[in-house]
Amino acid sequence: NAGVTQTPKFQVLKTGQSMTLQCAQDMNHNSMYWYRQDPGMGLRLIYYSASEGTTDKGEVPNGYNVSRLNKREFSLRLESAAPSQTSVYFCASSARTGRGASYNSPLHFGNGTRLTVT
Amino acid sequence: DAKTTQPPSMDCAEGRAANLPCNHSTISGNEYVYWYRQIHSQGPQYIIHGLKNNETNEMASLIITEDRKSSTLILPHATLRDTAVYYCIVRVGGAAGNKLTFGGGTRVLVKP
């Protein structure tokens, strides 16, 4: 059981280049999330997908786009990378407990993609 | 979401219990308390969560005060592998997904 898998693990980009970070989960979770973590800081939510077919902005969405490709996969795209996007990117997923219930299931995280933009 | 306050760092002796405090004085009645930890260079790891009752699992215990304005995470027998940053988060689950807001956390160093 792999859990949440992120690819690539490391990436170096030049300013202006584009790339897509991939995330897949095998836990049949409905909700998926993208966070970024800058050195010495806590995690900040970029985008999330509460269920297949829906995506919503988080705290820091500017400069990013996302695609919920299917229930398993949630990708994060940088169209024109900037040095300010140098960070560690974490993908996470969580289950839903049913319509109308409190969705209090924990998040499961991948081990991150370390991105450097020069 | 309610804001949480944690000490920035604390040390703990190996084999002893580690008690990590968290204040969340503005917590609402339907907000849960979650604890995660992040070991260096890894993704955050879920530890435990609760609403108002004390909770225990194989990793830790969570003690929530009766007024729910603070909580304590207890690692019963700390090991060197428990050295990590511990995050206390308060969040209400909802239809928009269970997104969490991470603060600065407590950096715990377990010493031999």
Side-chain angles (χ1 to χ4, degrees):
Chain A
N1 188 346
V4 178
T5 302
Q6 294 184 236
T7 55
K9 289 184 171 54
F10 300 92
Q11 184 71 48
V12 178
L13 292 177
K14 294 187 188 308
T15 297
Q17 287 185 316
S18 62
M19 80 160 295
T20 300
L21 281 64
Q22 306 287 353
C23 175
Q25 52 90 10
D26 62 3
M27 297 172 283
N28 202 35
H29 286 169
N30 280 298
S31 301
M32 298 185 73
Y33 314 80
W34 276 105
Y35 285 86
R36 62 175 285 175
Q37 185 174 34
D38 299 330
M41 307 280 287
L43 282 77
R44 292 184 292 171
L45 183 66
I46 305 171
Y47 270 93
Y48 66 100
S49 170
S51 61
E52 188 178 355
T54 68
T55 61
D56 285 285
K57 296 178 181 180
E59 183 185 354
V60 288
N62 291 344
Y64 305 95
N65 285 302
V66 290
S67 295
R68 183 72 183 270
L69 304 171
N70 46 55
K71 191 171 184 178
R72 290 186 65 249
E73 299 172 287
F74 189 38
S75 63
L76 178 72
R77 182 159 178 85
L78 286 70
E79 291 291 352
S80 179
S84 61
Q85 294 178 305
T86 293
S87 191
V88 181
Y89 291 84
F90 290 101
C91 177
S93 68
S94 69
R96 271 164 73 109
T97 57
R99 191 173 183 82
S102 291
Y103 303 119
N104 60 347
S105 57
L107 271 64
H108 298 262
F109 285 83
N111 279 326
T113 294
R114 284 148 185 79
L115 176 66
T116 302
V117 183
T118 61
Chain B
D1 296 340
K3 182 179 176 181
T4 62
T5 303
Q6 299 177 253
S9 64
M10 62 182 293
D11 294 344
C12 176
E14 187 180 18
R16 299 286 191 131
N19 296 298
L20 282 64
C22 180
N23 285 319
H24 30 79
S25 59
T26 61
I27 192 170
S28 301
N30 59 348
E31 288 184 308
Y32 287 76
V33 179
Y34 293 83
W35 283 85
Y36 284 76
R37 73 180 183 184
Q38 187 174 24
I39 297 170
H40 181 63
S41 299
Q42 297 181 19
Q45 177 189 23
Y46 166 76
I47 301 173
I48 198 167
H49 75 284
L51 183 61
K52 50 185 164 183
N53 297 321
N54 297 338
E55 302 287 344
T56 295
N57 63 20
E58 65 278 4
M59 290 182 67
S61 295
L62 174 61
I63 308 298
I64 302 173
T65 57
E66 191 168 343
D67 63 7
R68 303 205 330 117
K69 294 184 180 214
S70 66
S71 60
T72 301
L73 179 74
I74 301 173
L75 308 177
H77 305 286
T79 71
L80 298 180
R81 288 178 293 180
D82 292 323
T83 291
V85 178
Y86 288 77
Y87 296 99
C88 169
I89 301 160
V90 174
R91 177 72 176 110
V92 56
N98 194 15
K99 54 187 187 295
L100 302 175
T101 300
F102 287 75
T106 296
R107 190 171 297 274
V108 173
L109 176 62
V110 180
K111 296 182 175 180

